[in-house]
Amino acid sequence: GAWKDRVLTWTEHALDFLEKKVGPFGYPQISIVDVPSSYGMEYPMLVMNGRAREGLVMHEVAHNYFYGLLGNDERAEPWLDEGFATFLTTWYMEERYGPYGKTAGWNWYQKITPQYGLWEGLRHNVIELYRKGYGERVAKRAEEYDNSYRAHVHQKSALFINGIRYVTGDEDFIAILNNYYDTRKFQHVDDESLRLACEQWAKVDLSRQFEQWLHTRKTCDYSLEEVK
């Protein structure tokens, strides 16, 4: 029932969202198929999902842009596609359903207790990892991760991208994505490609921000020194 009644609609919503935020879909078609798995796998114009879930549909369709149309090396720099797919899925669910996402499936306990919002949930996962001493660099090869590939590659990189969106505001961030997509689609990209697209908007050197967020384990250390 879910596949027949909802997956087509979710795919249409996903493509509409991506075309508005990133740019026109660059392929002539896309197929979403049911497979005997609990996860999803994507290829250009083909998504194979083991569950009929809206977020999963969105995530795998987003991969048709990131790594499909903007072709990063998924093994050497996996954050460039997984981070964008996770970021765009979280933004999509936030825009459609609010800060907590789709709450219709919450159980009774979730409904009566405080829950993390979508972005807070990502932050909580990453902060817990760093608090326990398991933080790693985001920008490294997939096989080099020792601790929680998912938290770093999917979630911390999504938070980094959302941080750019926060600084620029939605309108300018969409302009950055449009420029990145327009100038680099059907090409190989890397983190320098993204940085240059951001710098064209910001008119400042962002190498330090990219270096700290992606290529080091450094965290920001804040202190309250004076109150007026």
Side-chain angles (χ1 to χ4, degrees):
W3 278 92
K4 179 181 178 182
D5 299 335
R6 295 196 288 274
V7 168
L8 176 60
T9 300
W10 291 339
T11 304
E12 290 171 343
H13 285 316
L15 286 171
D16 181 63
F17 178 86
L18 289 163
E19 291 203 324
K20 288 177 179 175
K21 306 301 188 191
V22 186
F25 190 60
Y27 295 117
Q29 68 166 39
I30 188 166
S31 300
I32 316 291
V33 300
D34 186 9
V35 294
S37 166
S38 58
Y39 301 102
M41 186 60 200
E42 74 291 335
Y43 300 94
M45 295 184 281
L46 174 63
V47 169
M48 301 188 298
N49 283 349
R51 290 174 289 174
R53 287 184 54 195
E54 186 171 8
L56 184 61
V57 168
M58 175 64 207
H59 185 95
E60 305 304 348
V61 172
H63 273 306
N64 272 256
Y65 281 77
F66 304 88
Y67 71 101
L69 292 154
L70 293 157
N72 64 292
D73 185 325
E74 294 177 278
R75 186 172 179 181
E77 293 181 292
W79 77 270
L80 264 174
D81 60 277
E82 292 294 0
F84 266 104
T86 300
F87 162 76
L88 288 162
T89 300
T90 309
W91 193 8
Y92 167 88
M93 297 300 284
E94 176 188 48
E95 197 167 278
R96 274 181 61 76
Y97 299 105
Y100 292 91
K102 210 169 184 176
T103 61
W106 279 11
N107 60 37
W108 68 270
Y109 183 75
Q110 289 173 301
K111 292 176 181 177
I112 65 170
T113 54
Q115 299 294 318
Y116 289 115
L118 293 168
W119 297 108
E120 287 74 20
L122 297 185
R123 284 195 287 269
H124 175 76
N125 293 340
V126 173
I127 289 169
E128 276 295 290
L129 200 66
Y130 272 76
R131 187 178 66 80
K132 295 174 181 177
Y134 294 118
E136 296 185 60
R137 292 185 296 110
V138 170
K140 61 181 181 179
R141 296 182 66 85
E143 70 270 18
E144 293 177 355
Y145 280 90
D146 295 318
N147 306 302
S148 192
Y149 172 93
R150 183 176 184 83
H152 290 95
V153 171
H154 289 243
Q155 298 174 339
K156 187 181 178 185
S157 55
L159 291 170
F160 168 62
I161 297 164
N162 196 49
I164 300 172
R165 172 192 164 207
Y166 174 80
V167 170
T168 62
D170 283 5
E171 184 177 346
D172 284 334
F173 181 72
I174 291 169
I176 290 172
L177 285 184
N178 291 165
N179 177 55
Y180 180 44
Y181 180 67
D182 288 342
T183 58
R184 300 307 301 264
K185 62 178 177 288
F186 294 115
Q187 298 180 36
H188 295 295
V189 296
D190 52 22
D191 69 355
E192 184 180 5
S193 307
L194 176 61
R195 179 175 61 81
L196 290 174
C198 294
E199 288 179 346
Q200 286 175 1
W201 171 86
K203 303 294 190 294
V204 295
D205 181 5
L206 298 175
S207 56
R208 185 176 179 183
Q209 286 80 357
F210 272 66
E211 174 70 20
Q212 180 170 328
W213 263 91
L214 303 172
H215 297 273
T216 78
R217 295 178 62 252
K218 293 178 181 178
T219 55
C220 294
D221 185 12
Y222 292 99
S223 64
L224 184 62
E225 295 187 352
E226 183 180 359
V227 178
K228 291 185 179 179

